[in-house]
Amino acid sequence: MQLYNHQQIKLYNSLTGKKEIFKPINEGYVGMYVCGPTVYSNVHLGNVRTFMSFDMVFRYLKHLGYKVRYVRNITDAGHLENDADAGEDKITKKARLEQIEPMEVVQRYTVDFHNILNTLNFLPPSIEPTATGHIIEQIELISNIIDNGFAYEVNGSVYFDVHKFNETNDYGKLSKRKLEDLIHNTRELDGQSDKKNPQDFALWKKAEPQHIMRWPSPWSDGFPGWHLECTAMSTKYLGEQFDIHGGGMDLKFPHHECEIAQNEAAKGKSPVNYWMHANMLELNGQRMSKTTGNTVNPDELLSGNNKFFSKAYSPSVIRFFNAQSSYRSVLDLTDDGLLASEKGFYRLMDAVNLLDELKPSKTSSIDVNSWKQTCYDAMNDDFNSPILIAHLFEAAKYINQIKEGSETLSAEDLNTFKATINSFVFDVLGLENAAKSDSGTDKLSGAVDILIKLRQEARANKDFALSDKIRDELAEVGIQLKDGKDGTTFSTN
């Protein structure tokens, strides 16, 4: 049984500005493309937030039984400074500054990107194409656009003719911008540009003599435009029309707008049925910025080696923090927020780790199937992970009540309950059990077990002052002892 036959997803489509029922082009199959990183520096934490949101989308679609082809690219050429059509290539600039080959820059930061995402328990995409690996496809795409009358060549560079395109198409429909407004708000250039109009954008740039990364083309030795790369790679692996295109909110214009225009100009088709955009990540209420110093790298957050946070945070706590906010909301990264998420995460893990201790009864006092559907309803509503987490905390309450005997579940309902919790906690949210994600757990458990034994000896000797001292001082450092009929246990929340 495929779950997608019984669950109906409604997702927010940036193109239409409303939630729509998700209907894939081919039943049971989903094609999803997400714009990946430009690998000229360590991956930005804001980008990680975007990729984490789409990792959750990928996980949920797979959980429902869809066969998902998830394509996330690596931009390793052609992305100029300030997302412009002039200036220096970001990768080439880094190579020049460090006096190494551009592909050494690409290799170094691609490895960093993969290491960070592996640490944060991401599923790898189905295909991870590179821009430099698809030059032929990009040249062919440019030729099609020229043949259809929507691009022109000047001095070895090729530009997309936005004004010509807009005569028969709607340039700006994704970002809700009108070409007339763009013209009015465009600062006049100094007359040295080869473009017919400032709004036109590069499909191919002729390489200057000092430009290292270059390829032969019918127009010049040069390199592709940044916008073109994603159009070529997405349609090569997902077809001329596919289901979902994702990325950060900052890519909506001009990058994604240009992708739509290129595809319509080349193929006469709008490429994507559902556009999804993840919102921005702020740091202490302000936009992250390298120039102001208000920024932190993922590895600094994981190690605690930074000036913003009081401690290191585990990968699962970071994932849990991210999931407590809708992917379409601005998320403010703060120490207080992470500390609260850490407490919530360990509280949920404490409950999950009690699941195997629960015993079935003859009857059920909890409507498990109704609760289960609320979890699906949350994710079906535009992947609403904060509501899902609220339902998982409801389950945590049930677990403690079943453990205490105030609520009961039949064997069948208990199996359903366990399977549902494990699916959503581990498969969909991508969390790892606290015992696995905290490398110090075994040592901590051993140390606390020794203190629990010393406390038991003190109580047996009626040394209640020492017994209380052990309990109270452990509580001060965040370790709670729980005395029960089966002995003393502890938790770290």
Side-chain angles (χ1 to χ4, degrees):
M1 182 186 73
Q2 301 294 354
L3 289 172
Y4 61 75
N5 290 325
H6 303 273
Q7 304 296 334
Q8 186 179 79
I9 296 174
K10 293 185 73 175
L11 57 81
Y12 183 85
N13 190 348
S14 298
L15 188 62
T16 61
K18 62 183 180 181
K19 289 183 185 178
E20 299 177 359
I21 295 172
F22 176 62
K23 293 182 180 178
I25 294 169
N26 298 305
E27 184 178 350
Y29 294 82
V30 177
M32 181 170 77
Y33 185 89
V34 173
C35 292
T38 300
V39 282
Y40 71 100
S41 65
N42 296 108
V43 62
H44 190 276
L45 197 57
N47 290 342
V48 170
R49 192 242 171 146
T50 294
F51 301 137
M52 193 175 289
S53 297
F54 287 103
D55 181 66
M56 182 182 66
V57 171
F58 181 36
R59 286 171 172 275
Y60 185 60
L61 293 172
K62 284 170 62 72
H63 170 73
L64 292 182
Y66 284 108
K67 293 186 182 300
V68 186
R69 177 174 288 178
Y70 175 24
V71 182
R72 187 187 64 216
N73 74 296
I74 296 287
T75 295
D76 57 353
H79 192 172
L80 304 187
E81 294 178 277
N82 303 314
D83 302 344
D85 284 334
E88 198 167 9
D89 183 295
K90 291 183 177 183
I91 292 166
T92 300
K93 180 180 180 180
K94 189 77 168 188
R96 178 174 55 79
L97 291 172
E98 298 192 9
Q99 296 186 317
I100 58 176
E101 283 288 329
M103 280 302 161
E104 287 185 72
V105 173
V106 167
Q107 178 70 10
R108 176 186 300 173
Y109 294 113
T110 299
V111 169
D112 168 74
F113 175 65
H114 288 150
N115 286 342
I116 290 296
L117 266 56
N118 289 338
T119 299
L120 291 167
N121 198 33
F122 278 63
L123 296 179
S126 314
I127 303 173
E128 192 173 53
T130 64
T132 56
H134 295 78
I135 300 296
I136 293 172
E137 290 84 355
Q138 293 171 73
I139 290 173
E140 182 181 358
L141 190 60
I142 295 170
S143 296
N144 289 341
I145 296 173
I146 292 174
D147 290 345
N148 291 339
F150 295 113
Y152 56 93
E153 183 264 334
V154 180
N155 296 328
S157 293
V158 181
Y159 296 96
F160 189 94
D161 193 333
V162 171
H163 290 247
K164 177 71 173 176
F165 174 80
N166 200 56
E167 290 174 6
T168 53
N169 297 271
D170 184 10
Y171 182 79
K173 62 184 176 183
L174 177 65
S175 58
K176 310 299 185 287
R177 302 186 188 205
K178 296 294 183 184
L179 183 57
E180 297 79 17
D181 296 333
L182 293 173
I183 295 170
H184 178 73
N185 293 324
T186 301
R187 180 171 51 85
E188 285 298 319
L189 301 178
D190 59 8
Q192 296 180 7
S193 174
D194 289 330
K195 298 180 185 180
K196 289 182 181 178
N197 298 285
Q199 295 76 36
D200 297 348
F201 57 89
L203 300 175
W204 187 266
K205 289 287 288 183
K206 180 181 179 180
E208 298 297 326
Q210 70 274 17
H211 199 98
I212 303 171
M213 302 179 79
R214 59 174 67 215
W215 294 265
S217 80
W219 313 285
S220 65
D221 279 3
F223 54 93
W226 172 43
H227 309 311
L228 184 79
E229 297 168 352
C230 285
T231 297
M233 289 184 282
S234 62
T235 55
K236 176 179 175 66
Y237 296 109
L238 299 175
E240 293 178 3
Q241 290 182 296
F242 56 94
D243 299 303
I244 297 172
H245 193 313
M249 193 76 73
D250 56 321
L251 296 181
K252 187 184 290 186
F253 185 88
H255 187 53
H256 290 161
E257 198 72 73
C258 293
E259 281 192 59
I260 293 175
Q262 289 164 159
N263 209 79
E264 292 182 349
K267 308 294 184 181
K269 299 175 182 178
S270 188
V272 180
N273 287 345
Y274 304 92
W275 285 89
M276 296 177 64
H277 290 94
N279 216 322
M280 307 300 288
L281 179 70
E282 293 183 342
L283 179 58
N284 293 323
Q286 296 181 332
R287 183 170 181 168
M288 286 200 190
S289 168
K290 289 182 180 178
T291 55
T292 63
N294 191 56
T295 186
V296 61
N297 284 339
D299 58 342
E300 294 171 338
L301 184 59
L302 289 161
S303 67
N305 184 25
N306 62 80
K307 63 182 180 181
F308 298 102
F309 300 100
S310 59
K311 54 175 290 186
Y313 290 99
S314 74
S316 283
V317 167
I318 295 170
R319 287 192 73 107
F320 191 69
F321 174 78
N322 186 71
Q324 285 183 292
S325 177
S326 165
Y327 76 92
R328 288 198 293 123
S329 301
V330 174
L331 179 59
D332 188 16
L333 185 67
T334 66
D335 196 43
D336 287 345
L338 281 166
L339 286 170
S341 286
E342 185 176 58
K343 289 181 179 179
F345 168 73
Y346 282 113
R347 183 155 59 93
L348 182 60
M349 288 300 108
D350 283 345
V352 169
N353 289 330
L354 287 175
L355 277 173
D356 290 337
E357 299 179 23
L358 302 184
K359 306 298 182 186
S361 299
K362 293 182 179 179
T363 60
S364 297
S365 59
I366 301 169
D367 188 345
V368 168
N369 287 325
S370 177
W371 168 81
K372 175 181 175 181
Q373 188 56 47
T374 64
C375 294
Y376 282 102
D377 290 344
M379 289 302 289
N380 292 341
D381 182 17
D382 198 30
F383 309 99
N384 198 330
S385 54
I387 299 300
L388 169 63
I389 288 172
H391 294 313
L392 292 174
F393 276 125
E394 185 181 16
K397 181 184 71 175
Y398 290 151
I399 290 169
N400 288 312
Q401 290 172 337
I402 296 166
K403 176 83 172 157
E404 294 166 359
S406 59
E407 298 283 3
T408 60
L409 285 178
S410 67
E412 181 179 355
D413 283 347
L414 183 57
N415 287 336
T416 299
F417 188 58
K418 289 179 179 179
T420 303
I421 291 171
N422 284 319
S423 290
F424 280 103
V425 169
F426 301 121
D427 297 341
V428 175
L429 293 180
L431 304 177
E432 295 179 284
N433 196 294
K436 295 179 182 177
S437 58
D438 184 353
S439 61
T441 294
D442 291 340
K443 293 179 181 178
L444 175 64
S445 296
V448 176
D449 284 343
I450 291 171
L451 291 171
I452 288 174
K453 288 179 182 178
L454 290 173
R455 181 169 173 264
Q456 288 172 339
E457 291 175 5
R459 294 174 78 179
N461 295 328
K462 300 189 184 303
D463 188 350
F464 299 114
L466 177 58
S467 170
D468 291 346
K469 181 179 175 65
I470 292 172
R471 181 198 63 207
D472 294 344
E473 292 196 3
L474 283 172
E476 285 182 10
V477 295
I479 299 172
Q480 306 290 332
L481 297 185
K482 300 177 183 178
D483 296 318
K485 59 182 181 181
D486 296 325
T488 301
T489 59
F490 77 94
S491 64
T492 56
N493 54 306

